[in-house]
């Protein structure tokens, strides 16, 4: 399938920039417009390898800006949308929720309305497994698990999902939703567990483990997520939800110890700190549907991909040093400056 004029929002963030780098190096049928506000999490350095390409256009702007979004749909004859743009960090949503609802809910509404006006061929809403809430020790999230979001972040994502599905039901808008588990890989902003623990280890700073460290997340390498998104864009059935996950559950403390051991750092760097309020205990994804319907399966083993990820942070010290000395400085120093 030819995917001509595609609007990718949030393409300067972690997953969006990996998606753009992947799609533009794998196919030349796509013309990509990347609309990104460049919040603290957006970084054009992530897109160095594509910025000169003729089939790539960056636009700095906000998805809540109705006039700008309308202008871009018209100017570039947009016929596909992938909405990665979001405020994505749970801890920040606990500190202040307003921007989460503004971007993740109102912004999605602005995009859906434009997609309706311009009759797009497909709208992929990038959601998250966090909309399902928290699991006990057994069981997996399926697409039929009731939505039960617990944080301002996840409730904003669940709201956007319901809105997107209602646009399909009411107006026939060709919407598909993906719900992926925890990603890791290059260009992940160092507020998230894996890059934060790598960078703090390298800086000999303490590694803050929330609560008892036994919360479980289901980890997927970002390229595997993005291959699934490409398949959903091409072949996903409209009005459907697809879970994406690599069936690699890990307790947080296991990840932290693994990173310390790979970097030959002492276990004493671990510091158990106050738990995240409302901290979801366990996420685990059943991805049978996307595997059976679209033929997707994860390509990376955790052991190999976590090694690649650590190597990337070792080789790209300039990238993360600029972040912790720049846009992230105040937050980072507040949290970790004392040691
Ligand atoms: P990120 O925080 O790294 O990047 C978000 C990007 O969106 C940034 O470039 C930022 O500048 C941009 N953005 C924020 N507000 C904007 C606005 N109003 N207008 C335009 N651009 C705006 O996030 P990420 O980890 O790459 O996540 C991308 C998407 O994937 C999000 O929708 C998130 O909910 C979802 N998701 C993330 C994970 C994960 O593990 N990181 C897992 C599942 C789903
Ligand atoms: O499951 C998908 C979600 O994964 C995405 O929708 C979110 O955008 C993404 O941020 C991520 O959310 P989490 O809250 O699971 O990720 P985070 O990296 O913030 O935390 C992972 C786990 O590690 C979680 O149980 C909290 C814990 N943690 C996190 C940090 C930052 C710590 O113990 N210490 C820390 O310093």
């Amino acid at each position: 399938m030819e995917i001509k004029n595609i609007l990718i929002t949030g393409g300067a963030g972690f997953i969006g920039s990996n998606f753009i780098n992947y799609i533009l190096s794998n196919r030349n049928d796509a013309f990509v417009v990347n609309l990104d506000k460049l919040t603290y999490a957006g970084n054009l350095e992530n897109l160095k390898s594509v910025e000169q390409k003729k089939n790539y256009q960056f636009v700095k702007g906000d998805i809540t800006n109705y006039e700008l979004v309308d202008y871009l749909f018209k100017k570039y004859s947009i016929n596909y949308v992938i909405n990665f743009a979001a405020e994505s960090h749970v801890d920040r949503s606990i500190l202040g929720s307003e921007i989460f609802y503004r971007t993740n809910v109102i912004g999605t509404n602005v995009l859906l309305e434009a997609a309706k006006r311009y009759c797009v061929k497909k709208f992929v809403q990038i959601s998250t497994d966090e909309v399902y809430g928290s699991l006990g020790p057994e069981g997996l999230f399926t697409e039929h698990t009731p939505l039960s979001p617990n944080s301002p972040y996840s409730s904003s994502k669940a709201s956007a999902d319901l809105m997107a599905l209602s646009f399909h039901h009411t107006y026939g808008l060709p919407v598909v939703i993906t719900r992926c588990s925890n990603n890791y890989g290059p260009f992940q902003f160092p507020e998230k567990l894996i890059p934060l623990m790598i960078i703090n280890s390298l800086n000999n700073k303490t590694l803050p483990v929330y609560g008892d460290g036994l919360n479980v997340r289901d980890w997927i390498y970002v390229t595997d997520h993005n291959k699934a998104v490409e398949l959903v864009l091409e072949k996903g059935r409209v009005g459907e939800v697809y879970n994406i996950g690599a069936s690699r559950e890990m307790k947080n403390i296991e990840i932290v110890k693994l990173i310390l051991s790979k970097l030959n750092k002492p276990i004493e760097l671990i510091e158990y700190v106050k738990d995240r309020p409302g901290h979801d205990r366990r996420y685990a994804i059943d991805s049978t549907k996307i595997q059976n319907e679209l033929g997707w399966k994860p390509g990376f083993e955790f052991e190999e991909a976590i090694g690649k990820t650590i190597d990337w942070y070792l080789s790209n010290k300039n990238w993360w040093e600029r972040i912790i000395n720049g846009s992230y400085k105040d937050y980072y120093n507040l949290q970790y400056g004392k040691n």
Side-chain angles (χ1 to χ4, degrees):
M1 181 190 97
E2 197 182 49
I3 46 162
K4 260 270 187 272
N5 301 334
I6 174 166
L7 177 67
I8 295 183
T9 68
F14 163 50
I15 303 174
S17 64
N18 275 283
F19 184 84
I20 292 175
N21 288 325
Y22 164 75
I23 205 87
L24 290 181
S25 63
N26 280 285
R27 51 199 301 170
N28 41 31
D29 60 336
F31 179 79
V32 168
V33 179
N34 173 14
L35 171 61
D36 196 297
K37 185 180 170 185
L38 298 183
T39 66
Y40 76 94
N43 187 346
L44 290 180
E45 277 190 56
N46 304 1
L47 295 155
K48 280 254 174 293
S49 67
V50 300
E51 64 186 11
Q52 301 299 337
K53 285 189 186 266
K54 288 202 177 64
N55 56 346
Y56 172 74
Q57 178 66 52
F58 174 70
V59 179
K60 180 171 189 243
D62 193 322
I63 59 168
T64 65
N65 183 335
Y66 180 98
E67 289 74 23
L68 173 65
V69 168
D70 187 77
Y71 168 79
L72 294 177
F73 271 75
K74 199 182 303 167
K75 175 169 180 185
Y76 293 107
S77 306
I78 295 300
N79 45 25
Y80 292 94
V81 179
I82 307 180
N83 183 25
F84 288 102
E87 288 294 334
S88 69
H89 196 49
V90 175
D91 293 331
R92 287 182 191 252
S93 82
I94 295 167
L95 291 174
S97 64
E98 197 265 349
I99 189 67
F100 282 74
Y101 295 109
R102 185 181 295 273
T103 287
N104 301 0
V105 183
I106 307 292
T108 302
N109 178 255
V110 169
L111 294 169
L112 286 167
E113 286 287 355
K116 172 160 75 77
R117 282 195 303 283
Y118 289 93
C119 304
V120 299
K121 292 183 179 154
K122 200 171 268 181
F123 186 113
V124 180
Q125 172 65 10
I126 304 295
S127 185
T128 166
D129 62 355
E130 296 200 12
V131 297
Y132 297 122
S134 186
L135 288 166
E138 304 294 328
L140 302 173
F141 295 134
T142 74
E143 288 82 358
H144 298 293
T145 303
L147 301 190
S148 183
N150 288 318
S151 69
Y153 163 70
S154 55
S155 69
S156 72
K157 295 295 288 186
S159 306
D161 285 14
L162 293 177
M163 188 183 353
L165 288 172
S166 79
F167 270 61
H168 171 70
H169 188 82
T170 307
Y171 308 114
L173 191 73
V175 166
V176 193
I177 292 177
T178 62
R179 294 186 182 141
C180 190
S181 62
N182 286 62
N183 286 223
Y184 62 101
F187 302 120
Q188 187 167 30
F189 195 85
E191 64 188 349
K192 305 291 199 283
L193 181 76
I194 288 182
L196 177 68
M197 297 300 160
I198 297 171
I199 288 169
N200 277 15
S201 301
L202 293 172
N203 284 338
N204 297 309
K205 287 181 180 285
T206 56
L207 310 189
V209 173
Y210 298 165
D212 60 8
L214 300 180
N215 298 64
V216 173
R217 296 294 182 263
D218 189 352
W219 294 94
I220 183 170
Y221 192 58
V222 63
T223 308
D224 279 334
H225 180 187
N226 282 333
K227 286 183 176 173
V229 171
E230 182 187 20
L231 267 177
V232 166
L233 181 71
E234 290 188 314
K235 300 187 194 154
R237 283 187 298 132
V238 300
E240 294 291 318
V241 173
Y242 293 92
N243 282 354
I244 304 167
S247 303
R248 191 59 158 97
E249 291 181 50
M250 299 275 287
K251 296 184 180 78
N252 294 337
I253 191 66
E254 291 172 337
I255 300 243
V256 172
K257 286 183 175 167
L258 179 79
I259 290 169
L260 282 171
S261 111
K262 290 213 179 261
L263 292 171
N264 289 317
K265 295 288 181 174
I267 204 109
E268 288 72 30
L269 283 180
I270 292 173
E271 184 185 8
Y272 287 91
V273 298
K274 195 166 166 289
D275 209 353
R276 171 186 281 176
H279 197 173
D280 286 340
R281 192 61 170 171
R282 175 172 166 259
Y283 303 146
I285 276 276
D286 179 343
S287 62
T288 308
K289 179 175 174 180
I290 192 170
Q291 300 212 23
N292 288 349
E293 268 191 29
L294 307 186
W296 174 84
K297 61 176 176 13
F300 288 88
E301 288 295 333
F302 182 79
E303 280 65 24
E304 175 204 352
I306 191 75
K308 269 164 75 80
T309 303
I310 292 173
D311 288 346
W312 188 87
Y313 282 89
L314 282 168
S315 320
N316 289 276
K317 212 168 164 215
N318 288 342
W319 180 88
W320 55 261
E321 278 190 335
R322 268 197 286 279
I323 290 174
I324 64 175
N325 293 320
S327 61
Y328 187 35
K329 191 173 178 182
D330 293 344
Y331 189 92
Y332 188 79
N333 285 344
L334 188 70
Q335 306 269 22
Y336 317 111
K338 62 185 187 300
N339 44 66

